Amino acid sequence: MKELEDSTLDLIYRRRVHTYVPAYVLVGLVLLVLFSLPLVKVDVTTNVRGMVRPLSDVSELFSSLGGIVDSSLLMDNRAVNAGDTLVWLRRDIPELKMAAAQARLDMLQASAEDIRLILQGKHPRHTSQYRQSYRNFLVARSRLEIRKGFLKGEFATAQSLFVEEVISHHEYSKAQASYLDICARESDHQEGYKSSLEDELYSICTEMKMIRDEIRLIQSTLAPYFIQAPVAGVVYDS
């Protein structure tokens, strides 16, 4: 009887122990989860409506004239200050035009100076064109002067002979006409050359004025051949 009681008590004890073990395990798992919560990262996302505004207004870069970009400092997230040069445009085309215009202007100035020297009765020294032109004028004038001297002597002889009634009035008039003709030709040669030089000088001065205006216009367009930052900020490619 006593052995039966001991067996019954032992069975009850074992059942109680088996009952408590799952409870202890469950409590332990709950505590473990609670302690690990601060270490768990949970991504939380949500959808909302709104608008993102920049810290300041966007300032666009633009060029006042068309051209080809030579170099630039446009890089995303590059910090710039107001007035920093960001883009350089090629200036070779307008600079070549200005160089050509300046060369033409220098040539015209040399020609104008030579013409003024000739009109003053001096020898030109700047351009081969007007040195040759003046030599040709002097050669032609020299021939006319030689011819004039000869006809002047013929006219003087005819005049003496006519006074002495050796020759007729017709022969005297013929000698006189030849001398007056060569005098007129000499004067026309001098005045014609002078007039042509004055016309050329006027045309050259007119062209020089136009070229100077063209050079000033080109120079005025050279300044905008770069683009600067209008405000301080950060560069980004839109």
Side-chain angles (χ1 to χ4, degrees):
M1 186 67 177
K2 183 177 181 180
E3 293 178 358
L4 180 59
E5 290 177 358
D6 292 338
S7 298
T8 303
L9 292 174
D10 183 61
L11 179 60
I12 294 173
Y13 175 76
R14 289 182 179 179
R15 288 184 177 178
R16 287 181 178 178
V17 172
H18 286 298
T19 304
Y20 292 146
V21 168
Y24 292 147
V25 173
L26 180 61
V27 172
L29 291 174
V30 171
L31 293 176
L32 179 61
V33 171
L34 292 176
F35 281 117
S36 63
L37 283 178
L39 302 177
V40 177
K41 181 180 179 181
V42 180
D43 293 331
V44 179
T45 60
T46 183
N47 295 325
V48 295
R49 292 184 178 180
M51 179 175 60
V52 178
R53 296 182 61 87
L55 297 177
S56 60
D57 293 335
V58 176
S59 297
E60 296 184 357
L61 298 178
F62 64 92
S63 174
S64 59
L65 47 86
I68 301 175
V69 175
D70 186 25
S71 59
S72 72
L73 298 177
L74 294 178
M75 294 180 290
D76 281 343
N77 300 321
R78 179 187 180 92
V80 296
N81 297 317
D84 287 352
T85 301
L86 302 178
V87 179
W88 287 265
L89 301 180
R90 286 181 58 181
R91 294 166 42 144
D92 52 353
I93 297 176
E95 286 179 347
L96 286 175
K97 289 182 179 179
M98 188 170 67
Q102 185 62 52
R104 175 64 178 168
L105 180 62
D106 293 341
M107 184 180 68
L108 291 175
Q109 287 175 335
S111 298
E113 182 62 25
D114 273 352
I115 291 176
R116 293 188 180 98
L117 290 174
I118 294 174
L119 292 176
Q120 295 170 6
K122 301 177 182 180
H123 287 268
R125 57 177 182 270
H126 299 291
T127 64
S128 59
Q129 174 187 356
Y130 286 99
R131 286 197 296 266
Q132 184 63 44
S133 173
Y134 192 58
R135 281 195 294 266
N136 294 339
F137 165 75
L138 293 179
V139 169
R141 188 179 69 175
S142 178
R143 291 174 179 171
L144 289 172
E145 288 176 348
I146 293 173
R147 180 67 177 168
K148 177 183 175 182
F150 172 77
L151 293 176
K152 182 178 181 181
E154 290 286 313
F155 175 59
T157 301
Q159 192 174 21
S160 299
L161 294 175
F162 178 71
V163 171
E164 296 176 359
E165 297 182 355
V166 175
I167 60 174
S168 65
H169 185 271
H170 175 73
E171 291 176 318
Y172 167 75
S173 298
K174 184 178 179 181
Q176 182 185 37
S178 297
Y179 175 66
L180 293 177
D181 178 68
I182 196 64
C183 290
R185 287 172 60 188
E186 182 188 29
S187 176
D188 288 344
H189 177 68
Q190 183 81 22
E191 292 300 322
Y193 187 59
K194 178 183 177 182
S195 177
S196 66
L197 288 177
E198 290 175 344
D199 291 341
E200 289 180 26
L201 182 60
Y202 176 79
S203 299
I204 288 173
C205 291
T206 302
E207 186 177 356
M208 287 170 60
K209 181 180 181 303
M210 295 174 60
I211 293 177
R212 289 192 183 100
D213 293 340
E214 181 183 358
I215 291 176
R216 282 193 292 268
L217 179 61
I218 295 175
Q219 289 174 337
S220 67
T221 62
L222 287 179
Y225 269 74
F226 55 84
I227 303 174
Q228 294 178 322
V231 296
V234 177
V235 177
Y236 76 94
D237 186 3
S238 59

